[in-house]
Amino acid sequence: MLHQQDPVAASAPPQVQEQPRTIEVVAKRFTFEPSRIEVTEGERIRLVMTSADGVHGLEIKKFKVNKKIPRGGEAVTIEFVANAAGQFPILCSEYCGSDHDDMKGMLVVVAKPVR
Ligand code: CUA
């Protein structure tokens, strides 16, 4: 029929999004595991974060990521698009003890290869 629309296609977003890449991060005094996360520019990232001890936070200022990670191992997730290449510090955003200020990681966003 000429005007019949496929309801699935009609409600789909204009551009097909890939499933986000899921990366599990464990926070513990006073480090992130892994401490270095490498992704590709433009990738949609889902961080699944748990704490191995007390409360921590995970902050990546560049991508406006900031989430409290509760004690007790409950997973929290945050999604963002790594839409800029470079190296961006991952910070702990909740005070967690003497070396809180040194609890850091690094997000490395590799520029998309030119085609
Ligand atoms: Cu971990 Cu502050």
Side-chain angles (χ1 to χ4, degrees), residues 56 92 94-96 100 103:
H56 296 280
C92 181
E94 293 284 331
Y95 182 75
C96 55
H100 159 75
M103 183 166 168

Side-chain angles (χ1 to χ4, degrees), residues 84-98:
Q87 300 201 16
F88 308 104
I90 299 172
L91 307 174
C92 181
S93 54
E94 293 284 331
Y95 182 75
C96 55
S98 57

Side-chain angles (χ1 to χ4, degrees), residues 2 8-9 12 15 17 29 42 44 49 52-53 62-63 65 70 73 80 82 94-95 106 112:
L2 203 59
V8 175
Q15 62 196 100
Q17 273 277 20
R29 300 189 185 98
R44 194 149 64 100
M49 306 166 289
D53 41 45
K62 174 72 179 178
F63 300 114
V65 166
F80 65 98
E94 293 284 331
Y95 182 75
M106 185 66 77
K112 228 185 252 181

